[in-house]
Amino acid sequence: MFLIIMSLILVVVTAVAIYVINEGVTFKMLFSLGWLLLILFGCFTNIGANTVGIVYDPFNGGIQSKTLTEGYKGKNPLTKIYKISTKVTELNFDV
């Protein structure tokens, strides 16, 4: 959540500064808005039905004990979410 707020503040400040300097919408302003969208899309993940998300954070000790359940979830853009199926399968062995 902190990263989202900081990225919003950074993009708004950059956009206002560019607008004041150039007095109009420029490529740099659109570029900064593109970075905002990229960061925002990196902050969310979708965990499908019959799936659990395993959180891997390389800067916080690797695999975390917290798992993600079904639905849209917020996440740190630097973490990786591994999606593991929880469907029950049946194996029959004839001996």
Side-chain angles (χ1 to χ4, degrees), residues 13-75:
V13 168
T14 304
V16 169
I18 291 171
Y19 184 78
V20 168
I21 292 170
N22 296 325
E23 297 181 7
V25 177
T26 63
F27 174 74
K28 292 178 184 178
M29 185 179 232
L30 295 176
F31 186 73
S32 66
L33 291 175
W35 276 109
L36 172 68
L37 292 176
L38 183 67
I39 290 170
L40 285 178
F41 282 118
C43 291
F44 296 99
T45 187
N46 181 24
I47 308 297
N50 297 322
T51 306
V52 65
I54 306 298
V55 180
Y56 176 75
D57 189 355
F59 300 109
N60 198 13
I63 297 175
Q64 304 299 304
S65 60
K66 175 185 167 186
T67 59
L68 302 176
T69 56
E70 301 172 355
Y72 287 100
K73 306 293 179 183
K75 70 174 191 79

